[in-house]
Amino acid sequence: MRLWHSRARLGQEIVSYLPPNRLPIAQQERLLYIDMKLRFLGEVRRQDLIQRFGIQTAAATRDLALYRWEKPDNLVFVSKTKSYVRGEKFKPLYDTVTSADALAWLSPAKSETGLLDSEVRLHVERPLAEKELSPDTVAAITRAIKSGTSLSLAYRSPIEGTSSRSVVPHALADIQGNWLLRVFDRSIGDFNSLRLSWIQDATLVIDEIRGHERSQDDSAWHTIRTLELVPHPDNVAHPECLVAAAEQSLTSWRVEVREALIDAWLQGMRVDSTRGHRLRGDEYLWWLKSAHSVAPAEYVSVELNFRAKRF
């Protein structure tokens, strides 16, 4: 994105262009809004900006003029509908937007406003398998991570039952929509990964954090393993399609995963990690070829396909 001080006459209006570090954040958001609506919905109107951001007509006109000056091939004005439609040579102004960003933006949850107007959001079903976590609980967790303090948790595990735990949280991980909290768990005297959805309550505790409880001593978290996956020899009839979907040019998929997250990642991806690829069923599309490279302590639960995994 190139924005610098210049003056260009667009119709009867003179627009000032600011360098990137001087462009107001609010205006950057509006330019992103224009870019996203053109890219993913095919059109944008001046009235969209007015209604979404509560700005005046003149400000919306300036935003569209600035966008058109920067990316003239991206939009074409249709006088009949008073809207701008996506140009045939469209190239996004913000090229770092991922597909996940786009889908989240186009279909926010009911409790979210997002950037998109409600009348043009895409309908996406989100069946809830588990109770949503309280925002106050999330707030306590994130504040503890940021400030380096400990937490008192009420934790409900279907494997171990309900318990109170004193933990020192370090990081969050999103594994296929299942969130994990990496902590030093004082109840077992070691680092552990807890399911975020199983935390019933979290309270900040101001106490002394010992040296061995700090993140830098979590060797499993800081160790990166390269796992080699191949299409399941027994369950996949067209392995070339699966490899192509994983954007791999060869016959296998190599992925780097923190050692502390290997079990959860393999489970989330429904990978058959048994020796001899013994699991059957269409849900197991990948086989962990490099299972022997996983540390023995991790391999025990991998071999059992997570039935004995403790979170």
Side-chain angles (χ1 to χ4, degrees):
M1 180 178 177
R2 52 182 178 85
L3 295 168
W4 56 82
H5 184 69
S6 176
R7 296 179 73 84
R9 184 173 294 275
L10 299 170
Q12 298 298 316
E13 184 178 16
I14 295 178
V15 182
S16 296
Y17 299 94
L18 301 174
N21 59 352
R22 291 178 54 197
L23 195 65
I25 293 177
Q27 190 171 27
Q28 293 181 43
E29 290 180 351
R30 298 197 297 270
L31 289 176
L32 174 61
Y33 177 83
I34 295 170
D35 202 46
M36 295 283 278
K37 288 207 74 171
L38 286 170
R39 186 178 184 182
F40 295 103
L41 294 174
E43 71 170 353
V44 66
R45 300 174 303 152
R46 182 173 57 183
Q47 195 63 26
D48 294 338
L49 291 164
I50 294 172
Q51 292 179 352
R52 175 61 185 86
F53 296 99
I55 59 177
Q56 298 298 314
T57 301
T61 301
R62 285 194 297 271
D63 291 335
L64 286 165
L66 174 56
Y67 184 89
R68 184 172 58 179
W69 180 86
E70 184 62 31
K71 289 289 186 179
D73 293 333
N74 278 11
L75 66 172
V76 177
F77 183 70
V78 180
S79 57
K80 184 177 180 180
T81 59
K82 295 183 179 180
S83 65
Y84 291 90
V85 298
R86 173 176 166 146
E88 293 183 0
K89 298 181 179 179
F90 181 93
K91 291 184 178 180
L93 182 61
Y94 295 90
D95 56 5
T96 57
V97 174
T98 66
S99 59
D101 294 333
L103 290 171
W105 183 75
L106 289 164
S107 57
K110 291 180 179 179
S111 60
E112 300 171 350
T113 58
L115 276 176
L116 202 58
D117 304 316
S118 58
E119 65 271 16
V120 292
R121 292 178 188 167
L122 301 181
H123 178 73
V124 175
E125 288 294 323
R126 289 187 175 91
L128 287 178
E130 295 180 310
K131 180 182 178 181
E132 288 189 344
L133 201 61
S134 162
D136 291 335
T137 300
V138 174
I141 292 169
T142 53
R143 286 163 53 207
I145 293 174
K146 182 67 175 177
S147 62
T149 54
S150 68
L151 285 170
S152 175
L153 300 181
Y155 193 68
R156 185 175 299 166
S157 166
I159 298 170
E160 298 182 341
T162 302
S163 62
S164 298
R165 303 196 185 199
S166 175
V167 303
V168 181
H170 298 305
L172 291 163
D174 180 9
I175 309 293
Q176 296 293 103
N178 291 317
W179 285 84
L180 301 179
L181 177 64
R182 188 65 179 176
V183 303
F184 182 88
D185 191 341
R186 289 169 171 167
S187 66
I188 62 174
D190 201 356
F191 291 95
N192 198 7
S193 297
L194 304 178
R195 283 279 292 272
L196 211 61
S197 59
W198 292 354
I199 297 175
Q200 303 301 302
D201 189 32
T203 304
L204 270 77
V205 178
I206 306 301
D207 60 3
E208 181 183 357
I209 307 300
R210 300 174 181 85
H212 66 280
E213 298 176 334
R214 301 185 185 278
S215 174
Q216 57 265 30
D217 284 351
D218 189 355
S219 59
W221 180 262
H222 295 292
T223 300
I224 305 298
R225 296 272 185 181
T226 300
L227 305 181
E228 182 181 5
L229 309 181
V230 296
H232 200 287
D234 303 305
N235 299 336
V236 176
H238 299 280
E240 70 281 0
C241 297
L242 191 62
V243 173
E247 297 184 351
Q248 302 295 306
S249 58
L250 303 176
T251 58
S252 64
W253 179 18
R254 291 181 178 272
V255 59
E256 293 185 345
V257 183
R258 294 184 186 274
E259 187 176 280
L261 301 176
I262 287 177
D263 280 2
W265 189 86
L266 291 173
Q267 184 182 31
M269 293 297 296
R270 302 296 292 174
V271 175
D272 178 358
S273 51
T274 62
R275 295 190 188 277
H277 42 83
R278 299 193 303 269
L279 298 181
R280 298 293 181 266
D282 293 342
E283 67 269 32
Y284 300 108
L285 299 179
W286 293 100
W287 175 54
L288 181 62
K289 183 179 180 180
S290 61
H292 62 275
S293 69
V294 181
E298 297 286 348
Y299 184 76
V300 172
S301 55
V302 172
E303 175 67 14
L304 293 175
N305 205 42
F306 316 101
R307 294 192 186 102
K309 180 63 181 174
R310 180 188 65 217
F311 283 120

